[in-house]
Amino acid sequence: MIIVLKPHSSPDVVAHVLERIEALGLTPHLSQGVARTIIGVIGDEDKLQVEPLQAIPGVEQVVPILKPFKLASREFHPEDSVFDVKGVRIGGGHLAMIAGPCAIEGEDLLYETAVKVRDAGANILRGGAFKPRTSPYSFQGLGEEGLRILRRVGDALHMPVVTEVMDPRQVELVAKYADMFQIGARNMQNFDLLKEVGKVRLPVLIKRGMSATVKDLLMSAEYILAQGNREVILCERGIRTFEDSTRNTLDLSIVPNVKGLSHLPIIVDPSHATGRPELIPAMARAAVAAGADGVHVEVHTCPEKALSDGPQALLPEQYARLTAELRRLAELMGATIDVCEGVSV
Amino acid sequence: MIIVLKPHSSPDVVAHVLERIEALGLTPHLSQGVARTIIGVIGDEDKLQVEPLQAIPGVEQVVPILKPFKLASREFHPEDSVFDVKGVRIGGGHLAMIAGPCAIEGEDLLYETAVKVRDAGANILRGGAFKPRTSPYSFQGLGEEGLRILRRVGDALHMPVVTEVMDPRQVELVAKYADMFQIGARNMQNFDLLKEVGKVRLPVLIKRGMSATVKDLLMSAEYILAQGNREVILCERGIRTFEDSTRNTLDLSIVPNVKGLSHLPIIVDPSHATGRPELIPAMARAAVAAGADGVHVEVHTCPEKALSDGPQALLPEQYARLTAELRRLAELMGATIDVCEGVSV
Amino acid sequence: MIIVLKPHSSPDVVAHVLERIEALGLTPHLSQGVARTIIGVIGDEDKLQVEPLQAIPGVEQVVPILKPFKLASREFHPEDSVFDVKGVRIGGGHLAMIAGPCAIEGEDLLYETAVKVRDAGANILRGGAFKPRTSPYSFQGLGEEGLRILRRVGDALHMPVVTEVMDPRQVELVAKYADMFQIGARNMQNFDLLKEVGKVRLPVLIKRGMSATVKDLLMSAEYILAQGNREVILCERGIRTFEDSTRNTLDLSIVPNVKGLSHLPIIVDPSHATGRPELIPAMARAAVAAGADGVHVEVHTCPEKALSDGPQALLPEQYARLTAELRRLAELMGATIDVCEGVSV
Amino acid sequence: MIIVLKPHSSPDVVAHVLERIEALGLTPHLSQGVARTIIGVIGDEDKLQVEPLQAIPGVEQVVPILKPFKLASREFHPEDSVFDVKGVRIGGGHLAMIAGPCAIEGEDLLYETAVKVRDAGANILRGGAFKPRTSPYSFQGLGEEGLRILRRVGDALHMPVVTEVMDPRQVELVAKYADMFQIGARNMQNFDLLKEVGKVRLPVLIKRGMSATVKDLLMSAEYILAQGNREVILCERGIRTFEDSTRNTLDLSIVPNVKGLSHLPIIVDPSHATGRPELIPAMARAAVAAGADGVHVEVHTCPEKALSDGPQALLPEQYARLTAELRRLAELMGATIDVCEGVSV
């Protein structure tokens, strides 16, 4: 940590800051110039919280040097983490191909869609039973009945299933049916929910919040990891910017950025990011070319009748064309895509 | 609602859209030009969800006309709402002066701060018992012990108290101690939490999320209102933008904007918005001049020892100078500020 | 400047950095910890450009300590600058009340508007002769004929006039007619234009770019100051954010922020910031309460017939009500507003 | 165009709007509901400017239907445009590989870099002679001497050259030396400059402004096209967002977005977008996979001694590895990359 004092700080201020540092058992290094004094502190930054020091009169700036996340960091775990979601590997060159409707609307419809995306090469089935809708008057999901449908369809087709959990009180329930939790963008900093999924031994797919920095996302992953659950997969789904021709702005640079900072896998969701089906294939290809560990795409057999997010869904045949492209791209990148039992693509 | 078809739409597409509209018992108005067809639908927009229509092939754009919120709207309740928080009025020309430390750290410290802010003219005491911290390793609040302290100090000084609730499981507990719930920015779209506080008869102060539009904030208020709790107070606390010299960008235009759209009171928190104590007084004055229904300011007797957000806290004497300015400004604006029992400012 | 090396940097890297610093005649201060090395450099930062140092392999971060602007800084000129625009003072407690139509459309219309805003208390007349329009097919302004009209109306009413200059080739021409240059938001980083107006002895009103940080704005002012023109007035007019219910997001915190960093006056333009006339009065009041050195408002006698930006213009009678409010507010703030010759408000 | 009136508009308001429309020789279509009136206008929207109509009292919203750009639109020119820059094709499946140093610093250095990037497969050489620097105290470029060097090196190596023009007064000079103009992000809405390059018959590479929407970029292209210069190439180089771990946020969705809206080629600059060399290769691959018509990368033989933007430059050997990857990717995408005379890669 580096503490920059205001110009022409009095010896009293300098002494006060040094005292605070030494009281914590740390050694300050003083650099005194004509107008400026800088204090370097090398050691366990945790002991010396950045915030309170900034509040000392005379301190202009406190520059932290160490990263605030540990378990999520590449330093802590130099190798890429690879997680196994019921036979499907994610991370370290293994791509997740997650597909399915936004919301679970009924068993027949989900089954029909699931067969098609599985045959196209999807290796994880998605579908929401609890839906975070902006309006209280919109369809809120089928709840536990939706979870049961998802489980049955997943089992029938040998596909692992992922579904969103929104409420700490639902964690136990969702864990009974799902192979992976999803934490939605709006709940990325719902810290009580993060703690609760951190206590279960089930992989967690956590989506970046619409105004979350890369560091914020890694800190939210750290919340889950710190509770003991070590299987966290990050997901980029677009951030809010001034650009209004897409629903959000997909920030693909997070992929190589996270690869440098962390060992955790990161996948990309071009459906929510763009909100426009005609842009999804190009963004899915870009994600794989950037080194993402998978792609999450919404697929619906009849988007105009979807109860949620229909306009951004691909048709099954569009998804099949996309996966064919992604497989060739993955091969070029040296990546592999696990397929579900009984499927050959 | 207006449905704009793509250029040169075939008669089949037009017929399909008309059929969907009529099946809902609504009457479409067709405007057909040389290249473009536009369909106006007047009636109950709720019946005709915008989303699925956008997914019909041939539809270029669906423009909703009605606002998606109802109970929060000025049309629903033309007069300004005025809420009474244990004797302190908020809204309709009555300003809330909310002050206190970020986190409750101990009874003596809170009491000392509370006396000072009350004597300066604060009429509601704030303090966090459950803290949403970005890092799992930071101080997370004193929990129920904090709530008890807050209650005792509030009672001793005849000040209503407001505190954050983060988890639907804590709503009942917090309701036992608080006079007003606070929903933090990170939980503005934690819909299960909104539903839970919507079931209790206690005013709710809901903060704008860092990437929430004005409409998003009103939709979140609508979630609470729709559950039966009609006492919702909005709070602007800054949004995330590229500007990095302040913690967030305070969007004061939300004040007159909300006044036009809604009957709900809106207050402003310049502490979290700027993160810099030297900017807080100017922004608090600007808020009152813009017509805000109150100001929320963090105050700490020793910011450098605060366990949370110290660097943005005002000292009690700074707060006292500020409230003196705000009272003069309120008078000029024709607004009034209730004071706590036993105080004369 | 502080140079943070990557963890476990080799002695070679450390030596290479030290050598670069010493070659510039500066003294480095080495702080070496177990894993980290930090080098503090006290002295003339100009000699040691930040950028190239960041490119040295082994350097993780370079943290500049000194501000990159000098002539614009409060350190360089501790007192508030006060500029005189043909008898109207701006800065140091003197407020500019700039008003007029977006574009000059004709002499009668401008005169009629100018009389009304002058009688309402405006002390500087604005009007565009060269208009930066997003579309090449929109009205581009009357050019020199517009300048002549502006000059005649200003002279007839004893009002100083301000108008936009967009092209370095027009600087001389505009200087013949105007009492103050305006640099528009889109040209804030048109550095050749800044250099050109920097060579003329006429005050410059420079608007913040839509994606400019506070520091960027001050650096652009520095460009003008560095050429010898010391009369620069800053103007906040909103930045681009995700919020789409206003044209831009007015960032009023820039006012106290700039007051700390710089001696230059800063005024606020709520017309372009909000794009909505019903929000302008509240934002103008907020600007004055925040300590702004003036307010810039667009006024048109018939907004629906305006050739540019009609929908955001106030009517003259709305402007008159606003100025009455602002005068009371200014008085409370201890500020003064010069009036044009022959006017009493 | 659709004109939505405020709820319960009086017959007078409706009549006034209809009159304005008919006076322009257009036919309005009235849709009148219980509370709302909507007026559709089919025909030549140009006649009926959107702006003034929004200013009519009683009008709530005006929704334009037609796109504001024409010459840049896909409707105007359904086929992909392919431009030839001295033998190198850009657009329609032909990729530009633009590389070179940020600034031209001397002939030997430029020659050395140019040989290396050419041999790696770059087909256009870049280098700045006029540099738009944020600080007036930074290196501003070699000016005409830089242009001469660029021309000589380009000629010696049979490489077309591109360089930035910042000032309308330099257009003629730059045209003497360059094979393609570059308009920088900060000048994207310097409309006088756009008009000037629009009068010359030389391709223009125009970079997206940091706060420009996709529509804004296309409108700026329209300015150039409207002057008669039909060879415009768009360039994405990142937008300003709250994310601060990269210099800007690369918005790759613009690539398929522009492909739908326009016939103009669009290339991507991952150097300025990320500002971090370790992220450039992944983003360059993503750009090609998204369908971009080329990649613009800064390369320097000794980044730590670069006079401008050193920290974001790739070393020549890093660039060579990248181009090898991009060629394989281009092949997979069915795209081709022209090479300079005498090179085989």
Side-chain angles (χ1 to χ4, degrees), chain A residues 16 20 51-52 133 137 140 169 186 189-190 195-196 211 216 219 222-223 240 304 309 311, chain B residues 16 20 51-52 133 135 137 140 169 186 189-190 195-196 211 216 222-223 240 304 309 311:
Chain A
H16 178 61
R20 287 290 300 272
E51 273 193 0
R133 303 304 297 275
Y137 310 120
Q140 309 269 319
R169 296 170 301 185
R186 288 174 180 76
Q189 292 194 319
N190 181 339
K195 286 179 189 168
E196 217 56 47
S211 58
D216 289 340
M219 290 308 293
E222 187 83 9
Y223 254 95
R240 276 219 166 150
E304 74 177 82
D309 273 353
Chain B
H16 177 61
R20 288 289 303 271
E51 273 194 0
R133 304 303 298 273
S135 167
Y137 310 119
Q140 308 271 319
R169 296 170 300 185
R186 288 173 180 78
Q189 293 193 320
N190 181 339
K195 286 178 189 170
E196 218 55 49
S211 58
D216 288 340
E222 187 82 10
Y223 255 95
R240 276 220 166 150
E304 73 177 82
D309 273 352

Side-chain angles (χ1 to χ4, degrees), chain B residues 1-4 45 50 61-65, chain D residues 2 4 61 63 65:
Chain B
M1 177 183 314
I2 297 159
I3 301 165
V4 181
E45 268 186 28
V50 171
Q61 207 184 348
V62 180
V63 186
I65 300 303
Chain D
I2 298 158
V4 182
Q61 207 182 347
V63 185
I65 300 303

Side-chain angles (χ1 to χ4, degrees), chain D residues 76-149:
Chain D
F76 176 77
H77 188 293
E79 301 298 307
D80 284 353
S81 279
V82 184
F83 302 129
D84 183 300
V85 181
K86 232 187 174 180
V88 171
R89 290 165 297 170
I90 310 180
H94 304 284
L95 308 192
M97 298 290 279
I98 305 175
C102 183
I104 299 160
E105 301 170 14
E107 187 149 358
D108 291 350
L109 193 55
L110 183 65
Y111 186 86
E112 185 191 343
T113 307
V115 167
K116 288 181 175 167
V117 300
R118 188 197 60 160
D119 291 352
N123 52 24
I124 298 178
L125 178 65
R126 64 145 287 128
F130 298 102
K131 299 299 308 168
R133 304 302 299 274
T134 308
S135 168
Y137 310 120
S138 296
F139 174 62
Q140 309 269 319
L142 295 180
E144 187 170 2
E145 176 54 19
L147 294 176
R148 274 191 222 107
I149 291 173

Side-chain angles (χ1 to χ4, degrees), chain C residues 7 69 117 129 138 141 156 217 237 308 333:
Chain C
F69 47 88
V117 299
S138 297
L217 175 58
R237 47 77 76 210
S308 175
M333 298 283 297

Side-chain angles (χ1 to χ4, degrees), chain A residues 107 110-111 114 125 149-158:
Chain A
E107 186 148 358
L110 183 65
Y111 186 86
L125 178 65
I149 292 172
L150 182 63
R151 183 71 271 160
R152 284 197 296 263
V153 172
D155 284 348
L157 296 170
H158 306 292

Side-chain angles (χ1 to χ4, degrees), chain A:
Chain A
M1 180 183 314
I2 298 159
I3 301 164
V4 181
L5 302 186
K6 288 186 181 156
H8 309 291
S9 293
S10 74
D12 281 5
V13 167
V14 179
H16 178 61
V17 177
L18 294 178
E19 191 186 320
R20 287 290 300 272
I21 295 166
E22 284 163 353
L24 290 155
L26 299 166
T27 311
H29 292 71
L30 199 67
S31 301
Q32 225 152 353
V34 178
R36 285 279 171 170
T37 301
I38 295 169
I39 301 169
V41 182
I42 309 278
D44 184 359
E45 270 187 24
D46 289 345
K47 286 194 190 167
L48 203 61
Q49 291 213 9
V50 171
E51 273 193 0
L53 290 175
Q54 260 168 336
I56 299 178
V59 169
E60 184 167 290
Q61 206 183 349
V62 180
V63 186
I65 300 304
L66 299 184
K67 295 186 192 81
F69 47 89
K70 293 170 216 299
L71 304 173
S73 74
R74 182 66 79 180
E75 285 81 2
F76 176 78
H77 188 292
E79 301 299 307
D80 284 353
S81 279
V82 184
F83 302 129
D84 185 301
V85 181
K86 232 187 173 180
V88 171
R89 290 164 296 171
I90 309 179
H94 304 283
L95 308 193
M97 298 291 278
I98 306 177
C102 182
I104 299 159
E105 301 170 13
E107 186 148 358
D108 291 351
L109 192 55
L110 183 65
Y111 186 86
E112 187 191 340
T113 308
V115 167
K116 287 180 175 168
V117 298
R118 188 198 60 163
D119 291 352
N123 52 25
I124 298 179
L125 178 65
R126 66 145 284 127
F130 299 102
K131 299 300 309 168
R133 303 304 297 275
T134 307
S135 168
Y137 310 120
S138 297
F139 174 62
Q140 309 269 319
L142 295 180
E144 186 169 3
E145 177 53 20
L147 294 176
R148 274 191 222 106
I149 292 172
L150 182 63
R151 183 71 271 160
R152 284 197 296 263
V153 172
D155 284 348
L157 296 170
H158 306 292
M159 293 184 87
V161 299
V162 57
T163 196
E164 178 159 357
V165 60
M166 290 170 58
D167 184 329
R169 296 170 301 185
Q170 299 159 349
V171 168
E172 205 180 332
L173 178 71
V174 173
K176 273 173 58 186
Y177 296 100
D179 300 310
M180 179 157 63
F181 290 116
Q182 181 183 305
I183 302 287
R186 288 174 180 76
N187 281 313
M188 192 202 86
Q189 292 194 319
N190 181 339
F191 299 118
D192 287 299
L193 179 61
L194 300 182
K195 286 179 189 168
E196 217 56 47
V197 298
K199 291 176 192 156
V200 183
R201 290 299 158 272
L202 207 61
V204 182
L205 179 69
I206 182 166
K207 291 191 153 189
R208 182 184 187 180
M210 281 179 282
S211 58
T213 62
V214 175
K215 200 187 92 179
D216 289 340
L217 174 59
L218 288 166
M219 290 308 293
S220 285
E222 187 83 9
Y223 254 95
I224 300 169
L225 297 168
Q227 293 293 326
N229 187 346
R230 297 301 168 94
E231 304 200 329
V232 178
I233 294 137
L234 310 171
C235 182
E236 161 68 22
R237 46 79 73 209
I239 56 174
R240 276 219 166 150
T241 72
F242 62 83
E243 175 58 60
D244 58 2
S245 66
T246 45
R247 185 164 158 169
N248 292 107
T249 297
L250 185 67
D251 175 16
L252 276 182
S253 68
I254 195 178
V255 173
N257 203 347
V258 156
K259 292 286 172 202
L261 296 167
S262 175
H263 56 94
L264 298 173
I266 177 161
I267 72 166
V268 171
D269 171 359
S271 301
H272 285 87
T274 64
R276 290 173 51 190
E278 70 273 29
L279 307 183
I280 292 172
M283 290 301 96
R285 291 194 310 261
V288 171
D293 297 300
V295 173
H296 173 287
V297 176
E298 295 197 349
V299 179
H300 198 283
T301 51
C302 184
E304 74 177 82
K305 293 198 172 152
L307 296 176
S308 174
D309 273 353
Q312 74 188 34
L314 289 191
L315 293 166
E317 52 271 28
Q318 293 171 321
Y319 183 68
R321 277 195 296 276
L322 173 58
T323 52
E325 290 180 344
L326 297 184
R327 275 194 301 274
R328 284 194 294 272
L329 211 44
E331 198 184 344
L332 188 71
M333 299 282 297
T336 63
I337 303 176
D338 289 338
V339 291
C340 298
E341 200 184 314
V343 177
S344 70
V345 283

Side-chain angles (χ1 to χ4, degrees), chain C residues 166-188:
Chain C
M166 290 170 59
D167 185 330
R169 296 169 300 185
Q170 300 160 346
V171 167
E172 206 180 330
L173 178 72
V174 174
K176 274 173 57 188
Y177 297 100
D179 301 308
M180 177 157 64
F181 289 117
Q182 180 183 306
I183 301 287
R186 288 173 181 77
N187 281 313
M188 192 202 85

